[in-house]
Amino acid sequence: MSAPMPPADLYRHSLRLLLDKNIPAWVALWAEDGLMEFPFAPEGWPRRLEGREAVAEYMRHYPDHIDLHDFPDLRIHRTTDPQTIVVEMRGVGRLVQTDAPFDMTYIAVVTVRDGRIASYRDYWNPLTVLEPGADFVGSDR
């Protein structure tokens, strides 16, 4: 049995899966009890997703709304915990509904346990979701 991917490699792999629009494979990188948090989420958007199934439901329709093309300016920083990384990046592409450009800056704190994403705190810009077509989680939040 091979050793799990280091957190930085796992994260890079996760970005490739997002660019490939392979949401099921991206979700499979998560621990069963993985936790995704959005500290800056605006009112009406989820702030905390508990478990792989909740993450899967949240991401299920993402490619139908946001067509990602690249993650330029990717910087991955190691921390004193070898299983935790801090990521700075931009996600660029287009909004499917309007064909408008999509350009979001992210900072994420990601912890990996046993080769799976255990914790992901996503500090994204909530102003971006004010753009028409950016609301990929739907009206039943």
Side-chain angles (χ1 to χ4, degrees):
M1 184 171 175
S2 63
M5 269 190 252
D9 293 346
L10 180 69
Y11 194 82
R12 284 186 192 92
H13 177 62
S14 77
L15 295 180
R16 180 78 249 156
L17 293 172
L18 288 176
L19 291 174
D20 291 344
K21 299 166 185 38
N22 190 342
I23 300 304
W26 184 85
V27 169
L29 299 177
W30 283 76
E32 191 67 38
D33 62 346
L35 176 65
M36 189 169 205
E37 297 176 286
F38 307 96
F40 296 151
E43 191 64 38
W45 281 70
R47 297 199 181 220
R48 182 179 176 99
L49 303 171
E50 295 184 34
R52 183 187 300 150
E53 287 306 312
V55 171
E57 183 59 32
Y58 176 78
M59 292 294 292
R60 186 171 327 280
H61 299 291
Y62 188 91
D64 298 332
H65 298 275
I66 299 173
D67 179 18
L68 289 170
H69 298 164
D70 195 11
F71 290 102
D73 309 322
L74 176 65
R75 291 183 210 105
I76 299 176
H77 306 279
R78 293 188 178 117
T79 69
T80 56
D81 176 351
Q83 297 306 307
T84 299
I85 57 174
V86 175
V87 179
E88 298 177 84
M89 68 179 184
R90 286 175 44 228
V92 297
R94 67 179 183 88
L95 297 175
V96 174
Q97 178 183 349
T98 64
D99 206 36
F102 176 82
D103 191 337
M104 171 117 51
T105 300
Y106 300 87
I107 294 177
V109 179
V110 181
T111 300
V112 173
R113 182 182 68 239
D114 300 324
R116 302 269 184 229
I117 299 169
S119 173
Y120 192 121
R121 283 189 313 279
D122 192 348
Y123 296 88
W124 56 277
N125 179 358
L127 298 176
T128 305
V129 299
L130 300 177
E131 296 293 321
D135 185 355
F136 68 90
V137 294
S139 59
D140 60 347
R141 300 176 286 220

